[in-house]
Amino acid sequence: ITNVTSYMNVPIHNTSCLKGKTFVFSGELNKTSRADAQDFVHKYGGRVTTAVSGRTNYLVCGANMDDGRPVTCGSKYKKA
């Protein structure tokens, strides 16, 4: 989580600032691991799911998918 907070401007004392928000992660993240990013969302009250739906608030994408294709080719990106 330190990796995430070091480059994001977040209210670190408000542990519910992401409450009610749902996040989906796709692709390779550049500045942190997916596990750290998901822990960050959970720490601040958010929810992480693996698929885009009507309840998804944020799709967090890396530039490329795990297989090297651009994230814009992925089904999560297209569905969002």
Side-chain angles (χ1 to χ4, degrees):
I1 295 177
T2 302
N3 292 345
V4 178
T5 57
S6 67
Y7 66 88
M8 291 184 68
N9 184 17
V10 295
I12 60 173
H13 300 293
N14 182 357
T15 57
S16 63
C17 62
L18 299 178
K19 185 177 180 179
K21 303 299 181 192
T22 300
F23 293 76
V24 175
F25 291 88
S26 182
E28 296 177 344
L29 303 178
N30 294 331
K31 294 189 177 195
T32 192
S33 71
R34 184 175 297 204
D36 281 350
Q38 291 173 340
D39 287 346
F40 175 85
V41 169
H42 289 132
K43 178 180 178 180
Y44 290 98
R47 181 172 170 238
V48 176
T49 61
T50 58
V52 173
S53 74
R55 294 183 177 184
T56 301
N57 298 103
Y58 298 98
L59 174 61
V60 180
C61 298
N64 294 309
M65 297 188 329
D66 295 335
D67 62 8
R69 292 182 295 151
V71 75
T72 55
C73 294
S75 60
K76 291 177 185 177
Y77 183 87
K78 290 177 181 179
K79 186 171 183 179

